[in-house]
């Protein structure tokens, strides 16, 4: 039984594509860069923005850092609210909390955005921690370890801890921190087979499937 459950945010608890798509396009426009089709913009949902701008827009690290700054001009004022809750996730968090599980968000998104999003969709009352990055140079592993610290997870508690996420970055970050990760494919943001190839312990397509996995004895 998993007593400690860490959730990614984008693509796991929420469908954040609208705010991310519009904010990426805002950044590209201000930098005089060509627009990207929606199929390409899907790649920006989940991974660290710096990496995505470098990889998919052929930017240098310095250019990508500037692109992230411009992205956040829009995202942190408008884009964060252009979000939808994933079907069935608020009831799932409620049920897990009622059973005494310790729940946290562990997102690469800056923590200053994580908290209002969690509050908007009613997730906050069920969370023991809402962790995000510092918005500068923290990786997924840093955020997961931040959640460990806030939940009091030590070496013994890791045996009862699981990450829930929708991209390989969640699986790999969890593995680097010594815990398993169950993948979710609610919105198909990840390329086909990515979660399986990253060694997710399971891949769930609905909140109901995830509930069955997390509540199994």
């Amino acid at each position: 039984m998993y007593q400690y459950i860490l959730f990614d945010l984008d693509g796991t608890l929420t469908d954040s594509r609208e705010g991310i798509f519009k904010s990426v396009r805002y950044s590209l426009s201000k930098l005089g860069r060509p627009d990207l089709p929606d199929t390409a913009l899907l790649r920006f949902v989940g991974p660290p923005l710096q990496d995505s701008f470098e990889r998919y827009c052929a930017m240098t690290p310095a250019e990508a850092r500037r692109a992230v700054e411009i992205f956040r001009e829009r995202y942190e004022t408008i884009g964060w609210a252009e979000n939808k809750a994933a079907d069935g996730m608020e009831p799932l968090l409620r049920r897990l909390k009622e059973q005494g599980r310790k729940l946290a968000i562990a997102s690469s998104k800056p923590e200053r955005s994580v908290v209002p999003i969690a509050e908007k969709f009613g997730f906050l009352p069920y969370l023991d921690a809402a962790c995000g990055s510092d918005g500068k140079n923290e990786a997924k592993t840093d955020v997961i370890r931040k959640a460990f610290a806030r939940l009091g997870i030590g070496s013994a508690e890791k045996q009862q801890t699981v990450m829930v996420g929708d991209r390989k970055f969640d699986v790999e970050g969890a593995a680097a921190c010594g815990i398993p990760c169950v993948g979710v494919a609610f919105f198909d943001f990840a390329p086909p087979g990515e979660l399986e190839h990253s060694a997710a312990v399971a891949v769930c397509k609905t909140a109901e499937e995830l509930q069955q996995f997390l509540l199994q004895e």
Side-chain angles (χ1 to χ4, degrees):
M1 177 189 295
Y2 294 115
Q3 182 64 23
Y4 302 88
I5 306 169
L6 314 182
F7 291 89
D8 181 43
L9 186 57
D10 293 346
T12 302
L13 291 177
T14 66
D15 177 355
S16 54
R17 79 184 83 190
E18 180 181 350
I20 290 175
F21 283 16
K22 289 181 177 178
S23 299
V24 170
R25 286 184 163 131
Y26 171 82
S27 181
L28 294 176
S29 176
K30 289 199 71 171
L31 291 171
R33 294 274 184 152
D35 193 12
L36 295 175
D38 286 359
T39 51
L41 289 173
L42 276 175
R43 300 168 179 171
F44 283 78
V45 183
L49 285 169
Q50 173 89 19
D51 294 347
S52 295
F53 278 116
E54 289 183 31
R55 179 174 299 185
Y56 305 121
C57 301
M59 292 185 180
T60 66
E63 289 170 336
R65 283 193 293 275
R66 179 59 182 149
V68 172
E69 290 173 358
I70 297 171
F71 171 96
R72 287 179 177 153
E73 287 177 3
R74 185 187 186 281
Y75 191 85
E76 294 184 4
T77 55
I78 302 171
W80 72 270
E82 296 169 328
N83 231 335
K84 300 175 183 176
D87 289 343
M89 292 304 285
E90 187 272 339
L92 174 56
L93 294 183
R94 186 189 327 123
R95 181 168 184 186
L96 292 170
K97 189 64 178 177
E98 287 171 350
Q99 291 199 353
R101 313 297 176 94
K102 298 292 185 180
L103 311 178
I105 289 175
S107 169
S108 294
K109 186 184 295 298
E111 193 162 306
R112 60 181 177 268
S113 296
V114 169
V115 174
I117 291 171
E119 185 173 22
K120 175 184 178 181
F121 294 114
F123 301 146
L124 213 51
Y126 311 120
L127 300 174
D128 296 279
C131 305
S133 73
D134 60 3
K136 297 177 182 178
N137 55 11
E138 286 187 332
K140 190 74 180 191
T141 51
D142 298 312
V143 179
I144 293 173
R145 292 188 180 106
K146 189 182 297 185
F148 284 178
R150 294 186 188 176
L151 295 183
I153 297 173
S155 56
E157 290 79 13
K158 280 187 182 182
Q159 306 303 314
Q160 299 175 298
T161 304
V162 67
M163 179 79 202
V164 180
D166 70 308
R167 297 298 307 273
K168 67 179 181 180
F169 309 95
D170 302 304
V171 183
E172 293 168 353
C177 294
I179 62 171
C181 180
V182 54
V184 296
F186 300 158
F187 309 110
D188 294 324
F189 289 159
E194 178 183 279
L195 290 166
E196 291 84 353
H197 294 156
S198 301
V201 294
V203 177
C204 302
K205 295 186 179 297
T206 66
E208 290 73 21
E209 289 183 15
L210 179 60
Q211 176 174 297
Q212 291 175 4
F213 178 86
L214 294 176
L215 295 181
Q216 65 185 343
E217 296 296 334

